Amino acid sequence: MVNVNLAEEIIPKEQAMSKETKTKYLGLPALIFPDGNMIYETTVIIRHLARNSPLYKSENEANMSMIDSWMELLKSEVFDKSYHGMIFPILGAMPYTDKDNKNATSAFKSFLPRFNKIGEHLVGKSLTIADIYGAAIFFLHFALTIDEGQRKAFANIFNWFKKVTSEPVFIEMFGIPRYCKVALKPALPPAEEEEEKKEKPKKDEKKKAEKKEKKEEGEGEEEDEDAPKKKPPYPLDLLKPSPMDIDSFKRELFLNKTAATKREYIKNKFWSKYDSEGWAIWYVEYNKLAGECEVVFKTCNLLDGFIRVTYTQA
């Protein structure tokens, strides 16, 4: 990769929609040069910044054109067609509409079988910015919408994604990917929620009327099956609140980009914050079989699965 120092300006959504901003910029995001000239669109900016990187340079002009082609294709077929109807509503960044969700889901599902014909890399036999850009677009899809069944059905996409996201250059920028067991669904829009709230009292009244009728007929002597049963408290809920905020600790830990700074942060901060009454530390030993742990990204996935199974059985 190429290290580039840029002055970043994040424009709030309301300001981005203003007449003043639209007059100043032809589009967003934008890269402004020292002389005031600008270039627009994510893929154009990425290719400009990576023009001297080995991830984009190639003696084969056809390969460079293929990198450009893949980036434009993934932007138009995946990001433009699926994010607004699927990803953004789940994150709460955009309102949900049934029409947009159906169109986005249909377009995304039709693209997956075509994209599943890929190999280990999109262009040539080595990593390029097309791989990194594509994996970045699929990053939230694997976390939110591509469930276990789809990962098996589209194994080539999944294997490509795991290979690219295991690269240090990718992890440094985006972190370690997460995978959903079941696809998440966006929250219902307020109108549909209100409709459900209106329907619920009607259903409850109908049930009460039926029970009253049965009781008058002598059939209501049995215990009410619909009566809420008191659940026993979850054992961990009985513990007193811990002063250790594990979420804040993890966020601070992830801000440290390299393994060395992470180790230093843990060494200096963890033990001062650790609460032995509210948390426990477990030592887990993994017995490696012959042939295992020889490929880095496979090792990461193997250990991640092992830890998940261990956690659920603890």
Side-chain angles (χ1 to χ4, degrees):
M1 293 293 281
V2 176
N3 292 321
V4 182
N5 294 319
L6 297 174
E8 182 182 42
E9 180 186 1
I10 298 175
I11 300 175
K13 182 179 179 181
E14 295 77 14
Q15 185 181 340
M17 300 298 291
S18 69
K19 185 178 180 180
E20 182 183 351
T21 301
K22 289 181 179 179
T23 303
K24 182 179 179 181
Y25 304 101
L26 292 177
L28 292 174
L31 179 65
I32 308 173
F33 296 104
D35 61 3
N37 287 320
M38 305 181 197
I39 57 174
Y40 306 94
E41 294 296 334
T42 306
T43 53
V44 176
I45 294 171
I46 290 173
R47 292 199 296 269
H48 172 76
L49 296 176
R51 66 193 183 284
N52 293 322
S53 167
L55 296 177
Y56 188 41
K57 292 179 72 175
S58 174
E59 294 179 1
N60 188 332
E61 291 185 3
N63 278 0
M64 295 192 69
S65 296
M66 288 173 67
I67 291 173
D68 295 343
S69 176
W70 270 116
M71 292 178 71
E72 293 300 329
L73 180 72
L74 289 165
K75 180 183 181 298
S76 62
E77 292 295 319
V78 182
F79 184 82
D80 291 346
K81 290 184 179 180
S82 69
Y83 263 60
H84 290 77
M86 295 175 69
I87 300 298
F88 291 152
I90 293 176
L91 298 176
M94 289 187 70
Y96 170 88
T97 66
D98 191 54
K99 180 182 177 181
D100 289 345
N101 182 259
K102 285 181 178 178
N103 290 339
T105 303
S106 175
F108 185 62
K109 286 185 176 180
S110 69
F111 178 74
L112 292 178
R114 292 180 283 139
F115 190 50
N116 197 45
K117 298 174 183 178
I118 60 172
E120 288 189 346
H121 297 98
L122 297 181
V123 180
K125 297 181 180 181
S126 60
L127 188 74
T128 67
I129 58 168
D131 293 302
I132 294 175
Y133 179 73
I137 288 179
F138 271 89
F139 197 81
L140 286 178
H141 268 298
F142 274 102
L144 303 175
T145 70
I146 301 178
D147 58 24
E148 289 181 318
Q150 286 184 309
R151 293 197 291 273
K152 290 179 181 177
F154 303 110
N156 287 346
I157 298 176
F158 188 35
N159 291 335
W160 162 79
F161 180 78
K162 287 190 295 182
K163 185 176 182 64
V164 176
T165 56
S166 69
E167 295 282 350
V169 66
F170 188 94
I171 295 173
E172 184 179 351
M173 294 299 298
F174 298 96
I176 298 171
R178 295 289 182 264
Y179 304 103
C180 63
K181 288 187 177 180
V182 180
L184 276 68
K185 295 181 179 179
L188 288 174
E192 293 187 26
E193 287 183 358
E194 288 298 322
E195 194 65 33
E196 284 194 356
K197 288 178 182 178
K198 289 178 183 178
E199 290 294 326
K200 194 174 185 300
K202 293 179 182 179
K203 292 178 181 178
D204 291 342
E205 287 176 13
K206 187 178 179 181
K207 283 184 179 180
K208 287 179 182 179
E210 289 175 355
K211 288 174 187 174
K212 185 177 180 182
E213 190 177 328
K214 286 183 180 180
K215 191 172 183 180
E216 289 174 354
E217 294 175 359
E219 298 177 3
E221 302 295 332
E222 297 179 6
E223 186 180 348
D224 188 357
E225 293 181 359
D226 295 331
K229 295 178 182 178
K230 191 175 181 181
K231 294 182 179 179
Y234 188 63
L236 294 180
D237 291 337
L238 299 176
L239 298 174
K240 65 179 183 179
S242 172
M244 182 180 183
D245 185 352
I246 194 68
D247 288 331
S248 296
F249 175 80
K250 288 193 291 185
R251 277 195 296 271
E252 292 173 15
L253 178 63
F254 291 147
L255 288 175
N256 292 276
K257 298 294 185 183
T258 65
T261 56
K262 287 181 188 294
R263 287 195 295 270
E264 193 65 24
Y265 178 78
I266 292 172
K267 179 181 176 182
N268 295 333
K269 298 290 184 179
F270 178 77
W271 293 111
S272 62
K273 296 184 177 186
Y274 177 62
D275 170 30
S276 60
E277 293 185 3
W279 296 90
I281 299 176
W282 293 72
Y283 174 78
V284 181
E285 185 174 341
Y286 183 86
N287 295 320
K288 185 177 80 72
L289 300 176
E292 287 185 335
C293 305
E294 293 178 356
V295 181
V296 175
F297 80 91
K298 290 183 178 180
T299 303
C300 291
N301 294 329
L302 189 66
L303 293 178
D304 184 57
F306 170 72
I307 291 171
R308 287 175 187 271
V309 172
T310 305
Y311 175 77
T312 56
Q313 296 179 354

